[in-house]
Amino acid sequence: MTVGHVTSLLASLLGGLMIIFLRIRAAKKPVSLRKIVIPPLGMATGFSMFVVPDIRIPWLWALIAFSVGAAFFSVPLIRTSRMEFLDGEVYIKRSKAFVWIIFGMLALRILLHDWIGNYISVVQSAGVFFILAFGMILTWRLFMLRAYLQAVKTPAAVAHKGAGQ
């Protein structure tokens, strides 16, 4: 294993643990429009990595990575994200499955990263997985935005039924 692979693995593990920690912490606080929209906007700044020629990948790879993130990796996050209306505010209902889903996706990402690393450079694979993650996060947050707007519009329906049902 090269230094790049070890660094990438450690960054993935740290990122996964950070997501779990932040999600558990966020479940204790009300959701706002800003809290839903800011993460994908902040993450979008990561596209500046493609200014570096060694990181650039073909458009088809980017489209495939984004599509896989949006169509497959976002689904477990969407299914475990439910809004609930409590004390006049909207919260994300904590799911026990969320932590296990994140660990599973992290393990899959590490396995895929090692396999893909046999065919493309470490920095290109970082670009591919960044785009995959962006597709996942953007799709999940758009779902959350829709659920949040519905919860704000009709709080009684969310309190009884759940935003994702």
PDB file of all heavy atoms in Angstrom, residues 119-149:
ATOM      1  N   TYR A 119      -6.866   0.696 -11.632  1.00  0.00           N
ATOM      2  CA  TYR A 119      -7.054   1.145 -13.009  1.00  0.00           C
ATOM      3  C   TYR A 119      -6.783   2.629 -13.230  1.00  0.00           C
ATOM      4  O   TYR A 119      -6.491   3.033 -14.347  1.00  0.00           O
ATOM      5  CB  TYR A 119      -8.483   0.817 -13.474  1.00  0.00           C
ATOM      6  CG  TYR A 119      -8.784  -0.653 -13.355  1.00  0.00           C
ATOM      7  CD1 TYR A 119      -9.507  -1.146 -12.279  1.00  0.00           C
ATOM      8  CD2 TYR A 119      -8.313  -1.553 -14.302  1.00  0.00           C
ATOM      9  CE1 TYR A 119      -9.763  -2.502 -12.165  1.00  0.00           C
ATOM     10  CE2 TYR A 119      -8.566  -2.908 -14.185  1.00  0.00           C
ATOM     11  CZ  TYR A 119      -9.291  -3.374 -13.111  1.00  0.00           C
ATOM     12  OH  TYR A 119      -9.532  -4.713 -12.993  1.00  0.00           O
ATOM     13  N   ILE A 120      -6.945   3.439 -12.171  1.00  0.00           N
ATOM     14  CA  ILE A 120      -6.699   4.874 -12.299  1.00  0.00           C
ATOM     15  C   ILE A 120      -5.836   5.342 -11.140  1.00  0.00           C
ATOM     16  O   ILE A 120      -5.691   4.634 -10.143  1.00  0.00           O
ATOM     17  CB  ILE A 120      -8.015   5.704 -12.376  1.00  0.00           C
ATOM     18  CG1 ILE A 120      -8.840   5.566 -11.105  1.00  0.00           C
ATOM     19  CG2 ILE A 120      -8.828   5.304 -13.597  1.00  0.00           C
ATOM     20  CD1 ILE A 120     -10.095   6.422 -11.081  1.00  0.00           C
ATOM     21  N   SER A 121      -5.301   6.528 -11.251  1.00  0.00           N
ATOM     22  CA  SER A 121      -4.408   7.041 -10.200  1.00  0.00           C
ATOM     23  C   SER A 121      -5.177   7.336  -8.913  1.00  0.00           C
ATOM     24  O   SER A 121      -6.400   7.484  -8.919  1.00  0.00           O
ATOM     25  CB  SER A 121      -3.707   8.311 -10.685  1.00  0.00           C
ATOM     26  OG  SER A 121      -4.621   9.384 -10.747  1.00  0.00           O
ATOM     27  N   VAL A 122      -4.449   7.441  -7.828  1.00  0.00           N
ATOM     28  CA  VAL A 122      -5.046   7.739  -6.526  1.00  0.00           C
ATOM     29  C   VAL A 122      -5.782   9.076  -6.567  1.00  0.00           C
ATOM     30  O   VAL A 122      -6.907   9.195  -6.065  1.00  0.00           O
ATOM     31  CB  VAL A 122      -3.967   7.732  -5.408  1.00  0.00           C
ATOM     32  CG1 VAL A 122      -4.538   8.238  -4.097  1.00  0.00           C
ATOM     33  CG2 VAL A 122      -3.390   6.345  -5.234  1.00  0.00           C
ATOM     34  N   VAL A 123      -5.184  10.080  -7.182  1.00  0.00           N
ATOM     35  CA  VAL A 123      -5.826  11.400  -7.211  1.00  0.00           C
ATOM     36  C   VAL A 123      -7.060  11.400  -8.124  1.00  0.00           C
ATOM     37  O   VAL A 123      -8.044  12.079  -7.826  1.00  0.00           O
ATOM     38  CB  VAL A 123      -4.842  12.526  -7.594  1.00  0.00           C
ATOM     39  CG1 VAL A 123      -3.813  12.720  -6.499  1.00  0.00           C
ATOM     40  CG2 VAL A 123      -4.182  12.281  -8.919  1.00  0.00           C
ATOM     41  N   GLN A 124      -7.029  10.637  -9.201  1.00  0.00           N
ATOM     42  CA  GLN A 124      -8.224  10.542 -10.046  1.00  0.00           C
ATOM     43  C   GLN A 124      -9.336   9.798  -9.313  1.00  0.00           C
ATOM     44  O   GLN A 124     -10.502  10.172  -9.420  1.00  0.00           O
ATOM     45  CB  GLN A 124      -7.909   9.835 -11.362  1.00  0.00           C
ATOM     46  CG  GLN A 124      -7.180  10.698 -12.352  1.00  0.00           C
ATOM     47  CD  GLN A 124      -6.911   9.950 -13.642  1.00  0.00           C
ATOM     48  OE1 GLN A 124      -6.517   8.790 -13.637  1.00  0.00           O
ATOM     49  NE2 GLN A 124      -7.142  10.630 -14.763  1.00  0.00           N
ATOM     50  N   SER A 125      -8.980   8.758  -8.569  1.00  0.00           N
ATOM     51  CA  SER A 125     -10.017   8.038  -7.821  1.00  0.00           C
ATOM     52  C   SER A 125     -10.618   8.945  -6.744  1.00  0.00           C
ATOM     53  O   SER A 125     -11.803   8.867  -6.449  1.00  0.00           O
ATOM     54  CB  SER A 125      -9.485   6.740  -7.225  1.00  0.00           C
ATOM     55  OG  SER A 125      -8.559   6.980  -6.203  1.00  0.00           O
ATOM     56  N   ALA A 126      -9.801   9.828  -6.186  1.00  0.00           N
ATOM     57  CA  ALA A 126     -10.335  10.806  -5.229  1.00  0.00           C
ATOM     58  C   ALA A 126     -11.373  11.693  -5.914  1.00  0.00           C
ATOM     59  O   ALA A 126     -12.431  11.988  -5.345  1.00  0.00           O
ATOM     60  CB  ALA A 126      -9.210  11.653  -4.643  1.00  0.00           C
ATOM     61  N   GLY A 127     -11.090  12.111  -7.137  1.00  0.00           N
ATOM     62  CA  GLY A 127     -12.040  12.916  -7.901  1.00  0.00           C
ATOM     63  C   GLY A 127     -13.319  12.158  -8.201  1.00  0.00           C
ATOM     64  O   GLY A 127     -14.433  12.684  -8.051  1.00  0.00           O
ATOM     65  N   VAL A 128     -13.178  10.888  -8.604  1.00  0.00           N
ATOM     66  CA  VAL A 128     -14.349  10.059  -8.901  1.00  0.00           C
ATOM     67  C   VAL A 128     -15.219   9.902  -7.651  1.00  0.00           C
ATOM     68  O   VAL A 128     -16.446  10.077  -7.702  1.00  0.00           O
ATOM     69  CB  VAL A 128     -13.920   8.666  -9.438  1.00  0.00           C
ATOM     70  CG1 VAL A 128     -15.078   7.692  -9.440  1.00  0.00           C
ATOM     71  CG2 VAL A 128     -13.324   8.790 -10.837  1.00  0.00           C
ATOM     72  N   PHE A 129     -14.596   9.591  -6.517  1.00  0.00           N
ATOM     73  CA  PHE A 129     -15.372   9.380  -5.294  1.00  0.00           C
ATOM     74  C   PHE A 129     -15.926  10.682  -4.727  1.00  0.00           C
ATOM     75  O   PHE A 129     -16.974  10.685  -4.088  1.00  0.00           O
ATOM     76  CB  PHE A 129     -14.568   8.593  -4.264  1.00  0.00           C
ATOM     77  CG  PHE A 129     -14.566   7.127  -4.576  1.00  0.00           C
ATOM     78  CD1 PHE A 129     -13.481   6.547  -5.176  1.00  0.00           C
ATOM     79  CD2 PHE A 129     -15.680   6.346  -4.311  1.00  0.00           C
ATOM     80  CE1 PHE A 129     -13.484   5.194  -5.493  1.00  0.00           C
ATOM     81  CE2 PHE A 129     -15.702   5.002  -4.626  1.00  0.00           C
ATOM     82  CZ  PHE A 129     -14.603   4.419  -5.218  1.00  0.00           C
ATOM     83  N   PHE A 130     -15.263  11.796  -4.979  1.00  0.00           N
ATOM     84  CA  PHE A 130     -15.822  13.081  -4.582  1.00  0.00           C
ATOM     85  C   PHE A 130     -17.122  13.331  -5.352  1.00  0.00           C
ATOM     86  O   PHE A 130     -18.136  13.732  -4.773  1.00  0.00           O
ATOM     87  CB  PHE A 130     -14.835  14.225  -4.845  1.00  0.00           C
ATOM     88  CG  PHE A 130     -15.468  15.573  -4.659  1.00  0.00           C
ATOM     89  CD1 PHE A 130     -15.629  16.105  -3.397  1.00  0.00           C
ATOM     90  CD2 PHE A 130     -15.942  16.296  -5.754  1.00  0.00           C
ATOM     91  CE1 PHE A 130     -16.250  17.341  -3.224  1.00  0.00           C
ATOM     92  CE2 PHE A 130     -16.558  17.521  -5.580  1.00  0.00           C
ATOM     93  CZ  PHE A 130     -16.715  18.044  -4.315  1.00  0.00           C
ATOM     94  N   ILE A 131     -17.102  13.082  -6.651  1.00  0.00           N
ATOM     95  CA  ILE A 131     -18.303  13.308  -7.469  1.00  0.00           C
ATOM     96  C   ILE A 131     -19.407  12.334  -7.072  1.00  0.00           C
ATOM     97  O   ILE A 131     -20.580  12.715  -6.993  1.00  0.00           O
ATOM     98  CB  ILE A 131     -17.964  13.214  -8.971  1.00  0.00           C
ATOM     99  CG1 ILE A 131     -17.043  14.372  -9.359  1.00  0.00           C
ATOM    100  CG2 ILE A 131     -19.226  13.226  -9.826  1.00  0.00           C
ATOM    101  CD1 ILE A 131     -16.467  14.280 -10.757  1.00  0.00           C
ATOM    102  N   LEU A 132     -19.046  11.089  -6.777  1.00  0.00           N
ATOM    103  CA  LEU A 132     -20.034  10.113  -6.302  1.00  0.00           C
ATOM    104  C   LEU A 132     -20.673  10.616  -5.005  1.00  0.00           C
ATOM    105  O   LEU A 132     -21.900  10.612  -4.860  1.00  0.00           O
ATOM    106  CB  LEU A 132     -19.350   8.758  -6.078  1.00  0.00           C
ATOM    107  CG  LEU A 132     -20.272   7.623  -5.676  1.00  0.00           C
ATOM    108  CD1 LEU A 132     -19.819   6.332  -6.346  1.00  0.00           C
ATOM    109  CD2 LEU A 132     -20.304   7.429  -4.183  1.00  0.00           C
ATOM    110  N   ALA A 133     -19.845  11.066  -4.068  1.00  0.00           N
ATOM    111  CA  ALA A 133     -20.356  11.576  -2.793  1.00  0.00           C
ATOM    112  C   ALA A 133     -21.220  12.819  -3.000  1.00  0.00           C
ATOM    113  O   ALA A 133     -22.253  12.992  -2.340  1.00  0.00           O
ATOM    114  CB  ALA A 133     -19.199  11.890  -1.851  1.00  0.00           C
ATOM    115  N   PHE A 134     -20.819  13.672  -3.917  1.00  0.00           N
ATOM    116  CA  PHE A 134     -21.613  14.874  -4.185  1.00  0.00           C
ATOM    117  C   PHE A 134     -22.985  14.494  -4.745  1.00  0.00           C
ATOM    118  O   PHE A 134     -24.010  15.073  -4.344  1.00  0.00           O
ATOM    119  CB  PHE A 134     -20.879  15.805  -5.153  1.00  0.00           C
ATOM    120  CG  PHE A 134     -21.587  17.113  -5.340  1.00  0.00           C
ATOM    121  CD1 PHE A 134     -21.519  18.090  -4.362  1.00  0.00           C
ATOM    122  CD2 PHE A 134     -22.326  17.364  -6.485  1.00  0.00           C
ATOM    123  CE1 PHE A 134     -22.182  19.305  -4.513  1.00  0.00           C
ATOM    124  CE2 PHE A 134     -22.996  18.570  -6.640  1.00  0.00           C
ATOM    125  CZ  PHE A 134     -22.920  19.546  -5.652  1.00  0.00           C
ATOM    126  N   GLY A 135     -23.023  13.529  -5.653  1.00  0.00           N
ATOM    127  CA  GLY A 135     -24.309  13.061  -6.178  1.00  0.00           C
ATOM    128  C   GLY A 135     -25.191  12.509  -5.070  1.00  0.00           C
ATOM    129  O   GLY A 135     -26.399  12.755  -5.028  1.00  0.00           O
ATOM    130  N   MET A 136     -24.586  11.784  -4.133  1.00  0.00           N
ATOM    131  CA  MET A 136     -25.324  11.217  -3.009  1.00  0.00           C
ATOM    132  C   MET A 136     -25.855  12.320  -2.097  1.00  0.00           C
ATOM    133  O   MET A 136     -27.040  12.359  -1.768  1.00  0.00           O
ATOM    134  CB  MET A 136     -24.405  10.288  -2.219  1.00  0.00           C
ATOM    135  CG  MET A 136     -25.011   9.736  -0.949  1.00  0.00           C
ATOM    136  SD  MET A 136     -23.821   8.805   0.034  1.00  0.00           S
ATOM    137  CE  MET A 136     -22.794  10.119   0.678  1.00  0.00           C
ATOM    138  N   ILE A 137     -24.988  13.232  -1.699  1.00  0.00           N
ATOM    139  CA  ILE A 137     -25.364  14.301  -0.765  1.00  0.00           C
ATOM    140  C   ILE A 137     -26.399  15.241  -1.385  1.00  0.00           C
ATOM    141  O   ILE A 137     -27.385  15.603  -0.745  1.00  0.00           O
ATOM    142  CB  ILE A 137     -24.122  15.105  -0.318  1.00  0.00           C
ATOM    143  CG1 ILE A 137     -23.149  14.214   0.440  1.00  0.00           C
ATOM    144  CG2 ILE A 137     -24.498  16.330   0.490  1.00  0.00           C
ATOM    145  CD1 ILE A 137     -23.635  13.699   1.761  1.00  0.00           C
ATOM    146  N   LEU A 138     -26.174  15.633  -2.633  1.00  0.00           N
ATOM    147  CA  LEU A 138     -27.105  16.555  -3.286  1.00  0.00           C
ATOM    148  C   LEU A 138     -28.501  15.940  -3.385  1.00  0.00           C
ATOM    149  O   LEU A 138     -29.500  16.590  -3.049  1.00  0.00           O
ATOM    150  CB  LEU A 138     -26.589  16.945  -4.665  1.00  0.00           C
ATOM    151  CG  LEU A 138     -27.451  17.947  -5.426  1.00  0.00           C
ATOM    152  CD1 LEU A 138     -27.506  19.284  -4.688  1.00  0.00           C
ATOM    153  CD2 LEU A 138     -26.911  18.149  -6.833  1.00  0.00           C
ATOM    154  N   THR A 139     -28.583  14.688  -3.801  1.00  0.00           N
ATOM    155  CA  THR A 139     -29.880  14.016  -3.929  1.00  0.00           C
ATOM    156  C   THR A 139     -30.555  13.885  -2.570  1.00  0.00           C
ATOM    157  O   THR A 139     -31.749  14.165  -2.421  1.00  0.00           O
ATOM    158  CB  THR A 139     -29.696  12.631  -4.571  1.00  0.00           C
ATOM    159  OG1 THR A 139     -29.034  12.803  -5.817  1.00  0.00           O
ATOM    160  CG2 THR A 139     -31.025  11.941  -4.781  1.00  0.00           C
ATOM    161  N   TRP A 140     -29.806  13.485  -1.555  1.00  0.00           N
ATOM    162  CA  TRP A 140     -30.340  13.330  -0.208  1.00  0.00           C
ATOM    163  C   TRP A 140     -30.841  14.670   0.326  1.00  0.00           C
ATOM    164  O   TRP A 140     -31.940  14.765   0.870  1.00  0.00           O
ATOM    165  CB  TRP A 140     -29.259  12.745   0.691  1.00  0.00           C
ATOM    166  CG  TRP A 140     -29.602  12.604   2.128  1.00  0.00           C
ATOM    167  CD1 TRP A 140     -30.775  12.168   2.670  1.00  0.00           C
ATOM    168  CD2 TRP A 140     -28.744  12.878   3.233  1.00  0.00           C
ATOM    169  NE1 TRP A 140     -30.696  12.154   4.042  1.00  0.00           N
ATOM    170  CE2 TRP A 140     -29.457  12.580   4.405  1.00  0.00           C
ATOM    171  CE3 TRP A 140     -27.432  13.323   3.334  1.00  0.00           C
ATOM    172  CZ2 TRP A 140     -28.895  12.722   5.677  1.00  0.00           C
ATOM    173  CZ3 TRP A 140     -26.881  13.458   4.597  1.00  0.00           C
ATOM    174  CH2 TRP A 140     -27.609  13.159   5.753  1.00  0.00           C
ATOM    175  N   ARG A 141     -30.057  15.715   0.136  1.00  0.00           N
ATOM    176  CA  ARG A 141     -30.455  17.030   0.632  1.00  0.00           C
ATOM    177  C   ARG A 141     -31.651  17.603  -0.127  1.00  0.00           C
ATOM    178  O   ARG A 141     -32.472  18.313   0.452  1.00  0.00           O
ATOM    179  CB  ARG A 141     -29.267  17.998   0.594  1.00  0.00           C
ATOM    180  CG  ARG A 141     -28.180  17.648   1.595  1.00  0.00           C
ATOM    181  CD  ARG A 141     -28.734  17.659   3.000  1.00  0.00           C
ATOM    182  NE  ARG A 141     -27.772  17.229   3.984  1.00  0.00           N
ATOM    183  CZ  ARG A 141     -27.582  17.833   5.144  1.00  0.00           C
ATOM    184  NH1 ARG A 141     -28.285  18.901   5.478  1.00  0.00           N
ATOM    185  NH2 ARG A 141     -26.712  17.352   5.999  1.00  0.00           N
ATOM    186  N   LEU A 142     -31.753  17.314  -1.414  1.00  0.00           N
ATOM    187  CA  LEU A 142     -32.943  17.752  -2.156  1.00  0.00           C
ATOM    188  C   LEU A 142     -34.186  17.054  -1.624  1.00  0.00           C
ATOM    189  O   LEU A 142     -35.243  17.668  -1.485  1.00  0.00           O
ATOM    190  CB  LEU A 142     -32.771  17.498  -3.655  1.00  0.00           C
ATOM    191  CG  LEU A 142     -31.795  18.432  -4.373  1.00  0.00           C
ATOM    192  CD1 LEU A 142     -31.558  17.966  -5.810  1.00  0.00           C
ATOM    193  CD2 LEU A 142     -32.290  19.872  -4.341  1.00  0.00           C
ATOM    194  N   PHE A 143     -34.064  15.780  -1.298  1.00  0.00           N
ATOM    195  CA  PHE A 143     -35.165  15.059  -0.673  1.00  0.00           C
ATOM    196  C   PHE A 143     -35.521  15.697   0.669  1.00  0.00           C
ATOM    197  O   PHE A 143     -36.686  15.908   0.983  1.00  0.00           O
ATOM    198  CB  PHE A 143     -34.809  13.578  -0.471  1.00  0.00           C
ATOM    199  CG  PHE A 143     -35.795  12.867   0.411  1.00  0.00           C
ATOM    200  CD1 PHE A 143     -36.977  12.362  -0.103  1.00  0.00           C
ATOM    201  CD2 PHE A 143     -35.551  12.734   1.772  1.00  0.00           C
ATOM    202  CE1 PHE A 143     -37.896  11.728   0.724  1.00  0.00           C
ATOM    203  CE2 PHE A 143     -36.458  12.114   2.597  1.00  0.00           C
ATOM    204  CZ  PHE A 143     -37.636  11.603   2.075  1.00  0.00           C
ATOM    205  N   MET A 144     -34.486  15.983   1.466  1.00  0.00           N
ATOM    206  CA  MET A 144     -34.725  16.601   2.767  1.00  0.00           C
ATOM    207  C   MET A 144     -35.383  17.971   2.616  1.00  0.00           C
ATOM    208  O   MET A 144     -36.264  18.329   3.409  1.00  0.00           O
ATOM    209  CB  MET A 144     -33.409  16.741   3.540  1.00  0.00           C
ATOM    210  CG  MET A 144     -32.881  15.439   4.079  1.00  0.00           C
ATOM    211  SD  MET A 144     -31.292  15.631   4.913  1.00  0.00           S
ATOM    212  CE  MET A 144     -31.706  16.725   6.260  1.00  0.00           C
ATOM    213  N   LEU A 145     -34.969  18.720   1.616  1.00  0.00           N
ATOM    214  CA  LEU A 145     -35.557  20.033   1.370  1.00  0.00           C
ATOM    215  C   LEU A 145     -37.047  19.906   1.075  1.00  0.00           C
ATOM    216  O   LEU A 145     -37.863  20.628   1.638  1.00  0.00           O
ATOM    217  CB  LEU A 145     -34.833  20.727   0.218  1.00  0.00           C
ATOM    218  CG  LEU A 145     -35.379  22.089  -0.200  1.00  0.00           C
ATOM    219  CD1 LEU A 145     -35.293  23.095   0.940  1.00  0.00           C
ATOM    220  CD2 LEU A 145     -34.624  22.597  -1.425  1.00  0.00           C
ATOM    221  N   ARG A 146     -37.383  18.964   0.207  1.00  0.00           N
ATOM    222  CA  ARG A 146     -38.798  18.734  -0.115  1.00  0.00           C
ATOM    223  C   ARG A 146     -39.583  18.324   1.130  1.00  0.00           C
ATOM    224  O   ARG A 146     -40.670  18.846   1.398  1.00  0.00           O
ATOM    225  CB  ARG A 146     -38.923  17.669  -1.190  1.00  0.00           C
ATOM    226  CG  ARG A 146     -40.360  17.523  -1.685  1.00  0.00           C
ATOM    227  CD  ARG A 146     -40.498  16.401  -2.659  1.00  0.00           C
ATOM    228  NE  ARG A 146     -40.428  15.178  -1.853  1.00  0.00           N
ATOM    229  CZ  ARG A 146     -40.404  13.965  -2.345  1.00  0.00           C
ATOM    230  NH1 ARG A 146     -40.394  13.784  -3.635  1.00  0.00           N
ATOM    231  NH2 ARG A 146     -40.362  12.920  -1.565  1.00  0.00           N
ATOM    232  N   ALA A 147     -39.029  17.422   1.934  1.00  0.00           N
ATOM    233  CA  ALA A 147     -39.701  16.970   3.151  1.00  0.00           C
ATOM    234  C   ALA A 147     -39.829  18.116   4.158  1.00  0.00           C
ATOM    235  O   ALA A 147     -40.861  18.254   4.821  1.00  0.00           O
ATOM    236  CB  ALA A 147     -38.943  15.796   3.762  1.00  0.00           C
ATOM    237  N   TYR A 148     -38.800  18.937   4.267  1.00  0.00           N
ATOM    238  CA  TYR A 148     -38.830  20.061   5.188  1.00  0.00           C
ATOM    239  C   TYR A 148     -39.906  21.073   4.774  1.00  0.00           C
ATOM    240  O   TYR A 148     -40.693  21.527   5.610  1.00  0.00           O
ATOM    241  CB  TYR A 148     -37.462  20.745   5.240  1.00  0.00           C
ATOM    242  CG  TYR A 148     -37.463  22.015   6.055  1.00  0.00           C
ATOM    243  CD1 TYR A 148     -37.417  21.974   7.442  1.00  0.00           C
ATOM    244  CD2 TYR A 148     -37.529  23.266   5.437  1.00  0.00           C
ATOM    245  CE1 TYR A 148     -37.432  23.136   8.193  1.00  0.00           C
ATOM    246  CE2 TYR A 148     -37.545  24.431   6.173  1.00  0.00           C
ATOM    247  CZ  TYR A 148     -37.500  24.359   7.556  1.00  0.00           C
ATOM    248  OH  TYR A 148     -37.533  25.519   8.295  1.00  0.00           O
ATOM    249  N   LEU A 149     -39.932  21.410   3.500  1.00  0.00           N
ATOM    250  CA  LEU A 149     -40.937  22.370   3.027  1.00  0.00           C
ATOM    251  C   LEU A 149     -42.347  21.832   3.234  1.00  0.00           C
ATOM    252  O   LEU A 149     -43.262  22.579   3.583  1.00  0.00           O
ATOM    253  CB  LEU A 149     -40.680  22.730   1.564  1.00  0.00           C
ATOM    254  CG  LEU A 149     -39.385  23.514   1.299  1.00  0.00           C
ATOM    255  CD1 LEU A 149     -39.156  23.686  -0.194  1.00  0.00           C
ATOM    256  CD2 LEU A 149     -39.387  24.851   2.015  1.00  0.00           C
TER     257      LEU A 149
END
